[in-house]
Amino acid sequence: MIAATRVDESSPHYRGWRVVLACFLMAFFMFGFGLYGQGVYLAELQRAHGWPGSLVSAASTFSFLLTSVLVIFTDDLLDRIGLRALILCGLVALGASTALLALVQTPWQLYLAYALMSVGWTGMGTVVIATVLNSWFERRRGLALSLAFNGATCGGIILVPLLLSLTGSIGFRSAMLAATLAMMVLVLPVVMMFIGWPAGTAQVPGRRRPGESVPTPAHSRKALLANAAFWTMVLPIAIALLAQMGFIIHQVSFLDPLIGRSAAGLAVTLMAAMAVVGRLSLGLFVDRLDPRLACAASMTSQAAALFVLLQSTNPTMLLACCAVYGFSIGNMITFPPLIIQREIGADAFAAAMGLGTSISGVVSAFGPGIVGLARSFTGNYTIAFAMCVALDLVAAGIVLWRPGRRAKLAAS
């Protein structure tokens, strides 16, 4: 039992909620710069340097794939350099990446900036946030994760429009440098003051203290790959994220001919806002729910929203479908840590999160390409989005499969 269970997790004075604030800010800037901001970089770097879109897009793909490799070793890094040092390394790497993007002059500098962004993801991304919050919360874990990961959505809603506004007034270079400075000023002191493990836990929760036997990280990953409960969590999440990424990237292209660009932009904003509402709503109840059932319900709701979207041309109905779809978007990264904690256990939590995030990242990266390919072959999005509906339903079926009893990998 973690130390957090000895205190009242619902108390606003509980230190874990300050850790949630730190994680919220980490997610805000990591997802704001590292995911949602990439559309801004694509447009501005093309305009400033005349580089083809394929060059900048390839750098983004390179960054996502490199991130998927690096996060596998998150548990090793936590063990070797510690939690705070890993986060600070991620913060410095992300700051160096965004500053370099402002100053970049050659393609090799562009790829270096995106490689540094991958290091930022390793130190400040989903795996680290889920691991530290898992150590601080038990009864309110779902709410803590939902609140922290809302920082990711807020990064898209707030940081990207801010970057665009600043770029229009002071230029892209100054906008990026100013935003980078703001990140350092806001995140650095919060990490230094609030981030750490709960008192009484090992350096990496789930690991034994010196002198006690413990499976090595490599053994944990090997055991995970042979564990059916792990795969029935990872595969459906990866499949659902593949469909989700495919729809999100092609949403505007699909809606533009039907309702116009301004209304399509409204649909994106509405979807992002509903993602915040969805995370907050789930966070209030998820600790009392079966996470696999809740996950399957979320996947099914996305399939239903896409199915209705394909049947309608009414602007109000299309916006409503995007809102329903958005309600479950953010929760796809909230469910894995909840399922892992219940079924895999604390001993291999960081290893399971790292390996699962890596697999999901690689699989979901193909979503936009697959949807785009299907659209090119058929001339419209009907088959492409119908395929996404089918993938969501398959994922919902797989995640409901519960092979064997609860597995504790440390006992393997």
Side-chain angles (χ1 to χ4, degrees):
M1 182 93 38
I2 60 175
T5 59
R6 302 189 188 117
V7 297
D8 182 8
E9 294 178 9
S10 62
S11 170
H13 302 293
Y14 177 49
R15 186 188 165 193
W17 296 114
R18 294 192 285 275
V19 178
V20 170
L21 172 62
C23 291
F24 177 94
L25 288 174
M26 288 160 52
F28 179 91
F29 285 103
M30 189 66 252
F31 281 80
F33 279 130
L35 179 61
Y36 299 109
Q38 298 217 19
V40 179
Y41 314 150
L42 175 64
E44 291 301 322
L45 291 174
Q46 281 185 278
R47 183 188 62 79
H49 302 287
W51 291 336
S54 58
L55 175 68
V56 185
S57 298
S60 296
T61 301
F62 161 73
S63 177
F64 288 136
L65 292 177
L66 179 59
T67 299
S68 296
V69 174
L70 293 179
V71 294
I72 297 175
F73 305 101
T74 302
D75 59 324
D76 303 80
L77 293 169
L78 287 170
D79 192 39
R80 290 178 181 273
I81 68 175
L83 173 64
R84 187 176 295 169
L86 178 58
I87 293 175
L88 291 177
C89 286
L91 178 61
V92 171
L94 179 60
S97 171
T98 53
L100 185 56
L101 283 171
L103 304 172
V104 64
Q105 295 294 325
T106 61
W108 74 264
Q109 293 172 334
L110 173 68
Y111 277 79
L112 175 59
Y114 276 98
L116 288 169
M117 191 174 290
S118 297
V119 179
W121 277 111
T122 306
M124 292 174 55
T126 306
V127 178
V128 168
I129 290 173
T131 300
V132 67
L133 292 180
N134 180 69
S135 73
W136 278 97
F137 292 90
E138 176 137 337
R139 294 184 300 276
R140 308 304 296 273
R141 182 179 292 126
L143 177 60
L145 288 167
S146 296
L147 290 173
F149 286 140
N150 258 332
T153 307
C154 290
I157 295 174
I158 298 172
L159 185 58
V160 172
L162 182 61
L163 278 177
L164 289 171
S165 177
L166 288 174
T167 297
S169 57
I170 62 176
F172 176 67
R173 174 177 295 188
S174 297
M176 289 294 291
L177 293 177
T180 300
L181 179 61
M183 176 180 69
M184 291 297 180
V185 170
L186 290 172
V187 179
L188 182 59
V190 173
V191 169
M192 294 301 295
M193 289 188 294
F194 299 150
I195 287 293
W197 302 121
T201 61
Q203 182 183 9
V204 181
R207 299 208 177 183
R208 279 37 170 203
R209 289 175 172 80
E212 295 181 285
S213 63
V214 60
T216 64
H219 180 73
S220 294
R221 286 191 287 269
K222 182 179 179 181
L224 282 167
L225 292 173
N227 187 280
F230 173 76
W231 283 109
T232 59
M233 180 275 295
V234 169
L235 279 181
I237 292 294
I239 292 170
L241 286 175
L242 182 149
Q244 187 169 284
M245 289 292 289
F247 172 69
I248 290 173
I249 297 302
H250 290 272
Q251 180 185 12
V252 173
S253 296
F254 171 76
L255 292 175
D256 189 6
L258 298 175
I259 58 178
R261 183 160 295 268
S262 60
L266 175 62
V268 174
T269 301
L270 181 61
M271 185 175 69
M274 287 300 294
V276 174
V277 175
R279 270 209 187 99
L280 289 175
S281 301
L282 180 73
L284 294 174
F285 302 103
V286 72
D287 293 305
R288 290 173 250 167
L289 302 175
D290 181 329
R292 282 187 181 265
L293 284 175
C295 186
S298 293
M299 294 169 176
T300 304
S301 72
Q302 289 193 339
L306 273 183
F307 179 79
V308 175
L309 192 80
L310 288 172
Q311 311 305 313
S312 178
T313 57
N314 180 274
T316 302
M317 181 61 69
L318 293 173
L319 290 174
C321 288
C322 291
V324 172
Y325 193 92
F327 190 82
S328 298
I329 281 181
N331 294 329
M332 288 303 148
I333 63 173
T334 303
F335 290 122
L338 297 176
I339 297 173
I340 288 171
Q341 175 61 31
R342 292 195 185 191
E343 301 185 13
I344 305 296
D347 289 352
F349 184 88
M353 277 299 301
L355 187 58
T357 301
S358 174
I359 294 169
S360 297
V362 171
V363 172
S364 63
F366 291 96
I370 291 174
V371 170
L373 194 62
R375 194 246 181 239
S376 297
F377 275 124
T378 61
N380 58 55
Y381 281 106
T382 302
I383 297 298
F385 286 171
M387 177 184 63
C388 291
V389 171
L391 288 173
D392 277 327
L393 293 176
V394 169
I398 297 174
V399 82
L400 289 175
W401 181 33
R402 307 165 191 269
R405 296 181 178 181
R406 173 176 172 154
K408 291 287 188 178
L409 290 182
S412 298

